[in-house]
Amino acid sequence: AKMELGAFSGVLEYFAGFQFAESEIIKDTAEEKVIQRRTPLGVVAGILPWNAPIMLLGYKLAESVLFGNTVVLKPSPYTPLSTVAVAKAIAGVFPAGVVAVVTGTDASGLPRWLVEHKDVDKVSFTGSTRTGKAIQAASAETLKKLTLELGGNDPAIVLADADIPSTAAQVFGAAMRNSGQVCAAIKRCYVHESIKDEFVKALVAEAGKAKFGDGFGEGVTHGPLNNKAQFDRVKELVEDAKAQGAVVAAGGVPEDGPGYLFPATVLTNVSDGHRIVDEEQFGPVLPVLGFQDDDDAVRRANASPYGLQGSVWTKDLEKGASLAARLEVGTAAVNQAALLTPDVPFGGCKSSGYGRQNAQGSLEGCTQLTVIRIKK
């Protein structure tokens, strides 16, 4: 919660200082003058997920109103109260009608109504790939603009020269952030066979330091999963992996306590083709796979319908950048992961969606580009 509130204020501060040209001359010759103008789209519908409702509200709110749009925010039915609380807090900041919040379940038909409404000019959605596809289909009649930030199955590739303790700590942190309930979290880890055993031991040590429990509890570092459906899915995927021979190096069994507690889980003896590797678990579970050849690791990392983020971990930054550039993702990183900052465009490819938000991505996604050509 503290992270979300800090991120929320940071996002607003960044966009408040964002500079852009509403109009610029892109060609001026003896024959012709060409002016490029950016104007507001109109009404933006921002449909929010449950995993980071306040932070992502900040992103959708800021990028919409900065460029002159109004915005209708629809929170997840799992987390409506935080969105409503923020709306009340900022009620006097914007003119009436600029920012609105509507709540309702998916069964109520509200999301579809927003997507299909002729007066909504754009939909910005963060959530599952399945829902993103439904939004894409429902928006076809009006051909409205879409930004779809969908699921991910982000690979990490740990090369043979990586610093094991440091890399394991960072990979573990990026996999377990918000108890793994982050679209850009590391969700599968490919480690060079020469260091794999030691790397797994280091991950297990990190899992031993993590304390899962009530978020208000002393020393607790990770909270429970958000809802029973997600808890059941994580449990099912882990049990399926065990049935196929996975070795549980850490965790693997739900914990008693308040909420849907599932501990930090590290799995080995898993393969591409296992559900825990191929599907997005969206929970505190990290499958670790070995590789011998760097090119093979890249090929296997790309053999996924998802393409949100990916990372390469190595002391050789030039080699790391070269391999990262071959990943089929929206954001490829070297020695870092789970990245989302307002000053860098963010989004995915393949089944992780399309469109970009933040910085230049927000400018392009939340404005209409008009070209004026003047013959001299």
Side-chain angles (χ1 to χ4, degrees):
K2 291 180 180 178
M3 180 279 292
E4 273 208 85
L5 289 172
F8 177 83
S9 61
V11 167
L12 297 188
E13 184 177 0
Y14 169 79
F15 277 104
F18 186 82
Q19 301 294 317
F20 68 99
E22 293 184 19
S23 178
E24 61 179 321
I25 299 171
I26 59 174
K27 179 182 178 182
D28 195 359
T29 66
E31 294 78 26
E32 184 183 36
K33 182 177 183 179
V34 180
I35 303 170
Q36 178 177 281
R37 295 190 67 243
R38 289 194 175 273
T39 56
L41 295 173
V43 179
V44 177
I47 303 178
L48 301 163
W50 48 257
N51 62 319
I54 297 176
M55 179 180 73
L56 295 177
L57 180 155
Y59 278 101
K60 295 189 188 302
L61 168 68
E63 70 171 7
S64 297
V65 300
L66 172 65
F67 302 113
N69 303 290
T70 60
V71 60
V72 180
L73 298 165
K74 191 273 176 192
S76 164
Y78 288 111
T79 54
L81 299 183
S82 57
T83 305
V84 172
V86 171
K88 289 181 178 179
I90 64 174
V93 175
F94 298 99
V98 172
V99 180
V101 174
V102 292
T103 63
T105 65
D106 294 344
S108 71
L110 176 59
R112 175 171 287 276
W113 181 80
L114 282 172
V115 172
E116 293 180 345
H117 201 288
K118 63 181 180 62
D119 292 332
V120 172
D121 301 284
K122 174 184 175 172
V123 174
S124 176
F125 170 73
T126 301
S128 71
T129 297
R130 182 179 64 179
T131 303
K133 290 178 178 179
I135 288 173
Q136 183 184 49
S139 68
E141 183 65 27
T142 53
L143 287 177
K144 54 175 52 72
K145 200 165 190 173
L146 299 177
T147 295
L148 301 176
E149 195 273 282
L150 309 178
N153 191 9
D154 298 5
I157 300 174
V158 182
L159 302 188
D161 71 335
D163 180 274
I164 293 176
S166 173
T167 301
Q170 294 179 76
V171 167
F172 181 87
M176 302 297 165
R177 184 174 301 171
N178 198 29
S179 296
Q181 299 167 112
V182 176
C183 58
I186 292 175
K187 300 195 174 74
R188 50 196 170 114
C189 187
Y190 297 90
V191 184
H192 195 275
E193 287 287 0
S194 64
I195 64 168
K196 180 186 170 190
D197 290 345
E198 288 301 312
F199 193 82
V200 170
K201 289 179 182 177
L203 287 175
V204 171
E206 293 298 323
K209 300 174 188 177
K211 183 178 179 180
F212 283 67
D214 185 335
F216 292 102
E218 184 177 353
V220 171
T221 58
H222 298 74
L225 297 175
N226 176 273
N227 56 78
K228 188 176 186 303
Q230 190 57 36
F231 174 82
D232 289 343
R233 172 168 173 76
V234 171
K235 181 179 176 182
E236 176 195 356
L237 288 174
V238 171
E239 291 303 315
D240 178 77
K242 290 179 185 178
Q244 297 190 65
V247 174
V248 179
V253 179
E255 297 181 350
D256 294 330
Y260 301 109
L261 287 177
F262 205 97
T265 297
V266 178
L267 300 176
T268 63
N269 198 40
V270 290
S271 304
D272 299 301
H274 289 177
R275 290 182 62 203
I276 195 64
V277 176
D278 291 359
E279 299 181 20
E280 181 184 26
Q281 65 271 45
F282 216 67
V285 182
L286 181 62
V288 181
L289 303 89
F291 71 90
Q292 293 280 5
D293 178 76
D294 295 347
D295 291 335
D296 182 55
V298 171
R299 179 191 63 78
R300 291 161 65 190
N302 287 336
S304 168
Y306 296 101
L308 189 56
Q309 294 195 6
S311 56
V312 178
W313 302 78
T314 176
K315 294 175 184 176
D316 187 337
L317 300 185
E318 184 176 349
K319 181 178 182 180
S322 177
L323 291 175
R326 294 166 55 191
L327 295 176
E328 297 170 357
V329 294
T331 299
V334 178
N335 297 334
Q336 55 182 338
L339 304 170
L340 174 60
T341 57
D343 58 331
V344 178
F346 175 84
C349 61
K350 300 194 286 189
S351 289
S352 291
Y354 56 79
R356 294 294 183 266
Q357 59 186 31
N358 304 343
Q360 185 68 22
S362 292
L363 174 63
E364 295 172 358
C366 293
T367 60
Q368 176 63 49
L369 179 64
T370 302
V371 174
I372 303 170
R373 306 189 65 162
I374 305 167
K375 182 179 180 182
K376 294 182 179 180

